[in-house]
């Protein structure tokens, strides 16, 4: 049988590393940045939109996908790999609704995706998935969640996180500026996600994609105008900060 | 092979002598061996139509007869204080009374009960498998399984064996986040939710008494009395029901076994009351 001739691609190195998994994580680091913020009543996903060729049709939604009415995800890494995972996750969300008569909890679907990723690090002839996912949403009891999975198949819950290119810089920004007050306010949470993304992305509403989900409401992709408005607010706040600093210096 | 499973392609494998019902996933030699030792799956005959193949054995034609004990009365109803489950305890093989002390309520876990009607082995085996699945669910998801999900698991399991001679008419009773739950599941794959069910050869007699005495806002004592009386009247007229009435009460904190009363005692008690 042909399965006898498939060799495992992911094998241990002498010092205990799974190099294929680590190379997959490198592939993730090359992907465009994605950021997620969990507020008290809102969850926000932001992605960096790569500049598209002139003749290419611009599609508003590519990297932020809906897995179910109450679950959305963004990813960084190989888009083709993501498509496979998203398909399986969508089927699993519906399958869960059918067998258990309840929508999936965020923890369940994250665990499912993570288990799937892990399986591919321990199978014949398969390579790991080259993507890191940020999964957001609300459980049916109303609690918001943000989870991150990576190519090794681990998953963790976060209050705010980033993945992809320059994820470390973005995460440091989030660590500095994420407070409970920010989380309590919907508008502040959205602004935080945008500001964090702007740390590493060229300024301009054309380069970012933002999506928000409020409790019991469907996922909403922010239009270009709405993003411009928030960016204008952010700019204004920056100017006010600069003014204040000038004043304290002179006085 | 890796590509096969990514594309969800299933190659037919004529070398395998025993198939797995449900037909999901890869089928290979290890499956055959696993199924022999597996406690929650049966290997089914390697023919094109297992249900057709098994028909002569299950419908009483021919020399081989598999006769099931169908005689029983079980009932359950929801009301403002939870769910009452009442069952008789007689097992018959044809016209022979095999036992008067059968436990027809299966305690799946402290907040889930299952009743037994039809084939005793089918009911108790598959409800024990259900108990295993419920526990695994609890461990994986860190919360109790809902009554809807538990009954659906059981219904999906038996649906895989539809037409192959399983005989099971059970009620799954529990209390979960949505409140008290009562589902009827049988070996045809039927799964229904309602406020009141009665299953078995004596069910018609029990329904008569239940329907005439039922009120949503009965007191606890009235509900206990209604359950006992319904089973008594069924045992009085149905030859295949009798023994003792086992009465359970499903509360928010789990089930309690209320009482075990011999139907003969109930007979004389009601006779006295009529005077």
């Amino acid at each position: 049988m042909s399965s006898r001739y498939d060799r495992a691609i992911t094998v241990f190195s002498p010092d205990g590393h799974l190099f294929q998994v680590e190379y997959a994580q490198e592939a993730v680091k090359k992907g465009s940045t994605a950021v997620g913020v969990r507020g008290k009543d809102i969850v926000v996903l932001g992605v960096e939109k790569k500049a598209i060729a002139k003749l290419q049709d611009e599609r508003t939604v590519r990297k932020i996908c809906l897995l179910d009415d109450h679950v959305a995800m963004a990813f960084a890494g190989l888009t083709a790999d993501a498509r496979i995972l998203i398909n399986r996750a969508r089927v699993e969300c519906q399958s869960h609704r059918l067998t258990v008569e309840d929508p999936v909890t965020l923890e369940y679907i994250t665990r499912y995706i993570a288990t799937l990723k892990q399986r591919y690090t321990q199978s014949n002839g398969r390579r790991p998935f080259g993507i890191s996912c940020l999964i957001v949403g609300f459980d049916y009891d109303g609690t918001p969640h943000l989870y991150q999975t990576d190519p090794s198949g681990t998953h963790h819950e976060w209050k705010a996180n980033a993945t992809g290119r320059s994820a470390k810089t973005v995460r440091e920004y989030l660590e500095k500026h994420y407070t409970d007050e920010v989380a309590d306010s919907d508008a502040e949470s959205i602004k935080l996600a945008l500001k964090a993304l702007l740390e590493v992305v060229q300024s301009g509403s054309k380069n970012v994609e933002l999506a928000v989900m409020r409790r019991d409401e469907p996922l909403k992709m922010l239009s270009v105008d709405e993003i411009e408005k928030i960016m204008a607010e952010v700019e204004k706040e920056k100017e006010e900060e600069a003014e204040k600093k000038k004043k304290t210096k002179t006085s | 092979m890796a590509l096969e499973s990514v594309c969800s392609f299933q190659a037919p494998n004529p070398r395998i002598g025993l198939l797995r019902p449900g037909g999901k996933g890869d089928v290979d030699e290890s499956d055959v061996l696993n199924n022999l030792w597996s406690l929650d799956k049966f290997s089914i005959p390697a023919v094109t139509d297992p249900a057709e193949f098994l028909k002569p054995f299950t419908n009483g034609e021919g020399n081989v007869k598999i006769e099931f004990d169908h005689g029983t009365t079980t009932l359950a109803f929801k009301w403002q204080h939870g769910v009452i489950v009442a069952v008789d305890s007689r097992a018959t093989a044809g016209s022979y009374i095999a036992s008067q002390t059968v436990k027809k309520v299966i305690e799946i876990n402290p907040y889930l009960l299952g009743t037994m009607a039809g084939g005793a082995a089918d009911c108790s085996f598959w409800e024990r498998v259900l108990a295993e699945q419920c526990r695994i669910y609890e461990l994986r998801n860190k919360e109790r399984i809902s009554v809807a999900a538990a009954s659906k698991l059981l219904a999906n399991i038996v649906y895989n064996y539809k037409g192959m001679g399983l005989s099971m008419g059970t009620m799954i009773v529990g209390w979960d986040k949505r409140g008290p739950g009562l589902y009827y599941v049988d070996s045809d794959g039927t799964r229904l939710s309602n406020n009141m069910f009665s299953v078995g050869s004596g069910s018609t007699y029990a329904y008569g008494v239940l329907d005439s005495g039922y009120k949503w806002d009965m007191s606890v004592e009235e509900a206990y009395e209604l359950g006992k009386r319904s089973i008594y009247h069924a045992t009085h007229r149905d030859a295949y029901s009798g023994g003792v009435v086992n009465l359970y009460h499903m509360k928010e904190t789990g089930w309690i076994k209320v009482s075990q009363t011999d139907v003969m005692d109930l007979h004389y008690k009601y006779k006295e009351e009529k005077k």
Side-chain angles (χ1 to χ4, degrees):
Chain A
M1 245 185 318
S2 37
S3 58
R4 235 184 286 147
Y5 298 107
D6 280 353
R7 218 165 28 89
I9 286 177
T10 316
V11 288
F12 279 112
S13 69
D15 59 348
H17 291 257
L18 285 171
F19 278 126
Q20 281 301 304
V21 173
E22 292 185 11
Y23 298 158
Q25 284 161 344
E26 289 298 313
V28 168
K29 285 193 204 150
K30 288 206 167 49
S32 50
T33 321
V35 71
V37 173
R38 180 190 86 195
K40 199 175 65 147
D41 306 304
I42 193 174
V43 287
V44 189
L45 281 175
V47 293
E48 170 194 357
K49 254 199 319 196
K50 280 217 173 91
I52 48 165
K54 251 207 229 174
L55 294 173
Q56 194 177 32
D57 205 334
E58 187 186 345
R59 294 236 226 104
T60 12
V61 186
R62 271 184 310 135
K63 290 194 62 181
I64 300 181
C65 321
L66 208 53
L67 296 183
D68 199 350
D69 298 327
H70 60 297
V71 188
M73 88 168 215
F75 61 90
L78 302 166
T79 318
D81 284 6
R83 219 177 39 239
I84 302 288
L85 265 185
I86 290 170
N87 273 339
R88 298 281 274 269
R90 284 175 173 162
V91 170
E92 181 61 23
C93 285
Q94 297 311 308
S95 177
H96 187 274
R97 275 182 192 261
L98 179 60
T99 43
V100 181
E101 291 191 347
D102 262 333
V104 290
T105 56
L106 267 284
E107 203 265 326
Y108 179 91
I109 194 66
T110 307
R111 202 164 11 107
Y112 175 79
I113 292 174
T115 311
L116 199 52
K117 285 184 170 177
Q118 190 280 340
R119 218 172 281 156
Y120 277 67
T121 67
Q122 209 178 12
S123 299
N124 283 343
R126 302 180 199 192
R127 62 162 176 79
F129 284 99
I131 65 165
S132 209
C133 310
L134 286 174
I135 301 156
V136 297
F138 290 87
D139 285 347
Y140 49 88
D141 65 357
T143 40
H145 293 279
L146 161 64
Y147 283 94
Q148 189 206 27
T149 65
D150 79 343
S152 64
T154 56
H155 65 288
H156 300 280
E157 180 158 20
W158 292 78
K159 294 183 190 164
N161 199 2
T163 179
R165 186 172 36 226
S166 317
K168 200 151 165 281
T169 319
V170 181
R171 203 175 305 128
E172 278 168 5
Y173 182 89
L174 288 169
E175 279 176 17
K176 247 203 308 182
H177 292 90
Y178 182 93
T179 61
D180 286 335
E181 284 95 45
V182 169
D184 281 342
S185 151
D186 288 0
E188 288 298 313
S189 303
I190 302 175
K191 258 194 263 180
L192 177 65
L194 183 59
K195 283 195 282 193
L197 209 48
L198 288 175
E199 287 279 302
V200 295
V201 165
Q202 279 177 312
S203 184
S205 58
K206 283 208 159 216
N207 297 323
V208 299
E209 194 74 62
L210 269 181
V212 303
M213 189 190 289
R214 291 186 173 84
R215 188 173 292 118
D216 296 329
E217 282 182 34
L219 182 74
K220 186 161 136 23
M221 303 293 303
L222 295 186
S223 67
V224 180
D225 298 322
E226 286 169 314
I227 300 179
E228 300 249 295
K229 215 172 66 169
I230 303 175
M231 271 222 242
E233 274 180 47
V234 169
E235 289 293 313
K236 213 174 71 171
E237 276 176 16
K238 263 199 208 151
E239 282 173 26
E240 285 174 359
E241 276 289 316
E243 279 293 314
K244 251 197 237 169
K245 278 206 180 123
K246 249 200 258 168
K247 280 204 178 136
T248 51
K249 264 195 188 156
T250 52
S251 67
Chain B
M1 215 173 73
L3 185 59
E4 260 183 318
S5 50
V6 168
C7 303
S8 307
F9 173 75
Q10 258 190 77
N13 206 329
R15 290 174 56 204
I16 304 305
L18 297 169
L19 301 168
R20 187 169 73 188
K24 220 178 24 159
D26 311 329
V27 179
D28 59 35
E29 281 153 351
S30 59
D31 262 24
V32 173
L33 297 171
N34 286 341
N35 282 353
L36 290 176
W37 304 117
S38 169
L39 294 176
D40 60 357
K41 293 181 203 46
F42 288 156
S43 301
I44 56 183
V47 292
T48 26
D49 190 350
E52 246 342 280
F53 176 76
L54 287 169
K55 241 194 212 164
F57 303 111
T58 57
N59 63 8
E61 294 170 6
N63 295 322
V64 182
K65 275 189 195 141
I66 307 175
E67 265 185 37
F68 287 101
D69 306 341
H70 282 91
T72 193
T73 312
T74 61
L75 64 86
F77 61 84
K78 273 199 249 184
W79 100 114
Q80 68 167 342
H81 294 297
V83 196
I84 292 287
V85 182
V87 300
D88 77 317
S89 66
R90 178 176 288 184
T92 48
S95 58
Y96 171 68
I97 296 179
S99 167
Q100 291 272 64
T101 53
V102 178
K103 285 200 69 194
K104 296 191 188 178
V105 172
I106 294 144
E107 296 157 9
I108 296 172
N109 63 44
Y111 48 91
L112 267 182
L113 289 173
T115 62
M116 189 199 294
D122 288 338
C123 289
S124 64
F125 180 83
W126 290 112
E127 286 182 20
R128 295 191 82 207
V129 169
L130 178 62
E132 176 204 31
Q133 294 297 317
C134 289
R135 181 57 182 150
I136 291 177
Y137 180 98
E138 219 178 271
L139 287 168
R140 281 192 183 139
N141 296 289
K142 296 184 199 140
E143 66 170 16
R144 283 196 208 150
I145 191 169
S146 66
V147 189
S151 58
K152 202 139 208 193
L153 279 179
L154 183 62
N156 287 338
I157 291 173
V158 298
Y159 181 75
N160 283 325
Y161 300 99
K162 189 176 165 78
M164 296 183 204
L166 282 186
S167 168
M168 186 189 82
T170 181
M171 293 178 286
I172 303 295
V173 177
W175 196 303
D176 59 26
K177 276 194 262 196
R178 296 188 189 139
L182 170 56
Y183 284 84
Y184 165 75
V185 177
D186 75 14
S187 43
D188 299 329
T190 309
R191 176 177 165 271
L192 301 167
S193 173
N194 207 340
N195 283 342
M196 180 194 299
F197 285 110
S198 180
V199 184
S201 57
S203 62
T204 44
Y205 309 109
Y207 269 131
V209 179
L210 265 180
D211 285 331
S212 67
Y214 176 83
K215 280 193 299 272
W216 173 265
D217 31 27
M218 289 184 283
S219 72
V220 175
E221 282 309 314
E222 284 176 330
Y224 290 170
E225 190 50 36
L226 182 64
K228 268 191 279 187
R229 198 180 274 268
S230 310
I231 296 289
Y232 160 72
H233 281 287
T235 61
H236 186 59
R237 286 293 176 180
D238 178 28
Y240 299 105
S241 304
V244 299
V245 180
N246 282 315
L247 189 65
Y248 286 74
H249 179 182
M250 178 65 68
K251 299 179 172 179
E252 191 167 0
T253 46
W255 55 261
I256 55 162
K257 182 162 185 181
V258 178
S259 63
Q260 186 175 17
T261 334
D262 194 320
V263 297
M264 289 313 290
D265 296 337
L266 285 174
H267 174 80
Y268 290 113
K269 182 175 142 205
Y270 296 143
K271 202 163 152 198
E272 279 296 309
E273 283 168 11
K274 279 204 202 135
K275 283 197 196 141

